[in-house]
Amino acid sequence: MTEKEKMLNGKWYSPEDEALKNERLRAKTLCFEYNCLKPDEIDKKQQILKELLGKMGNNIIIEAPFRCDYGYNIKVGENFFANYNLIILDTATVEFGDNVFLGPNCSFYPPEHPLDPQKRNSLIEIGKPIKIGNNVWIGGSVTVLGGVTIGDNCVIGAGSVVTKDIPPDTVATGNPCRIIKESQRVINENK
């Protein structure tokens, strides 16, 4: 198995692999070009996103600056808005459903490193996928760690660090992120 195949199959791999380094360089170059475009160069921005992302729906807005590791592991549904300074370290799939809105300074971190220092010093890592459902609003400065699923119709409060799955139709916030209430939609349905 190549290091890329290991990465894509959720196994420990070396990001120091030459092919992976080249793919990261390609993504960094595309992100650099994207981030240097004028705000009114919308067609050029869309063209770069189509080249960079693995899947892209319609009506996608990502405010610059935007950074990612590979791009091809990012899947974005319809009606997606990300405010300034989005970071996605897509060593595994990071998938956003339809109607997802991200505040500024949001980060999505699939990579994990060994806890054992000797193994960690060998520079191996593993990627765990992140999945964001439909109709999700994620406030500013939220960090989502690998292996997390955020269900449909959720709201994640600003500054949260999401380390565990968040079920659908809930409002969650904090560090670590915890459910604080069911969404108004669920409350109204249960009346």
Side-chain angles (χ1 to χ4, degrees):
M1 231 184 221
T2 66
E3 296 304 309
K4 181 177 180 176
E5 289 169 334
K6 290 178 190 175
M7 179 185 79
L8 295 176
N9 285 289
K11 302 196 180 302
W12 291 99
Y13 71 96
S14 172
E16 296 302 303
D17 175 72
E18 204 59 39
L20 290 176
K21 283 182 175 181
N22 289 334
E23 290 184 353
R24 286 196 305 275
L25 180 59
R26 174 190 172 273
K28 286 179 183 179
T29 301
L30 288 170
C31 286
F32 177 82
E33 291 173 11
Y34 184 87
N35 294 331
C36 289
L37 291 172
K38 295 177 189 171
D40 63 349
E41 294 181 288
I42 297 165
D43 290 341
K44 287 181 183 177
K45 287 183 177 193
Q46 294 299 302
Q47 182 181 1
I48 290 173
L49 289 177
K50 284 178 185 172
E51 188 176 344
L52 182 62
L53 303 180
K55 177 188 169 230
M56 181 176 139
N58 294 311
N59 195 26
I60 307 303
I61 299 171
I62 299 176
E63 297 287 0
F66 164 54
R67 291 177 178 78
C68 66
D69 275 344
Y70 298 98
Y72 54 72
N73 284 326
I74 301 170
K75 299 177 181 180
V76 179
E78 307 285 322
N79 305 317
F80 178 82
F81 176 81
N83 216 319
Y84 305 107
N85 206 30
L86 173 62
I87 298 174
I88 303 176
L89 304 182
D90 60 314
T91 58
T93 302
V94 178
E95 184 175 351
F96 299 93
D98 296 336
N99 307 306
V100 173
F101 304 101
L102 308 178
N105 302 310
C106 285
S107 303
F108 297 83
Y109 298 152
E112 272 188 24
H113 305 279
L115 296 177
D116 176 83
Q118 289 181 325
K119 288 182 183 176
R120 188 170 54 247
N121 291 341
S122 71
L123 302 179
I124 62 171
E125 63 186 30
I126 190 168
K128 296 186 177 179
I130 294 172
K131 184 171 183 179
I132 310 300
N134 298 315
N135 308 309
V136 173
W137 174 25
I138 296 179
S141 300
V142 169
T143 299
V144 180
L145 300 185
V148 166
T149 296
I150 297 175
D152 292 345
N153 310 311
C154 283
V155 175
I156 306 297
S160 296
V161 178
V162 187
T163 61
K164 296 187 186 313
D165 291 353
I166 304 296
D169 301 303
T170 56
V171 176
T173 193
N175 181 3
C177 191
R178 293 188 175 102
I179 298 164
I180 58 170
K181 67 179 180 177
E182 293 179 324
S183 72
Q184 194 62 45
R185 185 177 142 231
V186 171
I187 293 168
N188 290 339
E189 287 175 2
N190 290 332
K191 285 184 178 178

